[in-house]
Amino acid sequence: MKVALIGITGRQGSRLATELLSRGHEVTGIARNTANVAAQKGLTVKEGDATQPSSLVPLIAGHDAVISAGKFQSSNAAALTSAVAQGGVKRLLVVGGAASLEAVPGKRLLDSPEFPEAYRPEATAGAAFLDALRQGDQTVDWTFLSPPALLEPGTRTGKYRLGTDNLIVDAAGKSSISMEDYAIALVDELEKHAHSRKRFSVGY
């Protein structure tokens, strides 16, 4: 497929680019500053701002899908979905956040008293982004993949479990996945198209 990847310079964005390219997809990497993006076969790099639909539309037009891997505090769901629709792109996949997942039935991780205050602004913005997708333009075929509580660089194992709106925890009570395995799960979703207009979760 031909995929536009917003936020290619980020930690998760760079790993998504690696995974996409390894599977033979064509990638257009988009970021505000692309000076440090290394050249790779199958990769085209363009500078753009995801919050400005008018400038983003010509960058993503002609692609099969857009993957958004940017920070939520510097993103705007309405602007992004508008650009996707105007650009005639069929699908939007979003690197989601964990805070809006249910730690226990009916209670979001974000609302638990032990949630770190330092992460609250970005987490709150992520939850609002998901709400905007759910309530917004339903002509856009979006998917939002929430990671577990801990998403860090690590090993590419190819193993993961999927959930829906629940935080995935392993037998030892740990909620985690490597950024490399998260990238596998998101690109698998790109190829399988199993969660149309839905949020789902991933973890070990």
Side-chain angles (χ1 to χ4, degrees):
M1 299 182 195
K2 192 173 181 181
V3 182
L5 174 59
I6 298 169
I8 190 174
T9 55
R11 295 197 303 171
Q12 189 61 66
S14 63
R15 286 166 174 82
L16 281 163
T18 298
E19 185 67 29
L20 287 161
L21 292 168
S22 74
R23 300 196 197 187
H25 298 292
E26 293 181 45
V27 178
T28 300
I30 299 170
R32 289 192 178 108
N33 185 347
T34 60
N36 295 323
V37 179
Q40 297 181 67
K41 183 180 179 181
L43 174 64
T44 302
V45 178
K46 296 183 178 180
E47 292 192 352
D49 187 344
T51 65
Q52 302 295 326
S54 59
S55 64
L56 193 59
V57 170
L59 302 182
I60 65 175
H63 290 77
D64 299 300
V66 170
I67 296 178
S68 175
K71 290 185 177 180
F72 291 114
Q73 286 179 280
S74 57
S75 300
N76 181 293
L80 183 55
T81 53
S82 175
V84 170
Q86 290 178 52
V89 183
K90 294 179 180 178
R91 297 179 63 199
L92 169 65
L93 294 92
V94 178
V95 174
S100 57
L101 291 169
E102 293 184 351
V104 295
K107 184 176 181 181
R108 300 183 305 172
L109 186 63
L110 179 61
D111 299 325
S112 60
E114 61 272 18
F115 190 86
E117 286 301 316
Y119 299 139
R120 191 172 295 279
E122 176 66 10
T124 301
F129 194 101
L130 176 58
D131 286 342
L133 287 177
R134 286 170 165 164
Q135 298 166 15
D137 184 354
Q138 292 305 300
T139 64
V140 174
D141 189 353
W142 60 268
T143 300
F144 187 103
L145 177 55
S146 285
L150 187 62
L151 178 64
E152 294 290 342
T155 303
R156 185 186 187 279
T157 70
K159 298 177 181 178
Y160 61 82
R161 292 185 295 141
L162 298 181
T164 52
D165 289 318
N166 58 298
L167 183 73
I168 296 180
V169 179
D170 66 16
K174 186 177 181 180
S175 177
S176 68
I177 197 169
S178 70
M179 288 184 167
E180 289 76 7
D181 283 339
Y182 177 95
I184 292 174
L186 191 61
V187 179
D188 283 350
E189 172 61 27
L190 171 71
E191 295 175 348
K192 296 175 182 176
H193 202 173
H195 298 85
S196 177
R197 297 189 182 90
K198 292 180 182 177
R199 183 264 290 281
F200 70 113
S201 58
V202 66
Y204 289 138

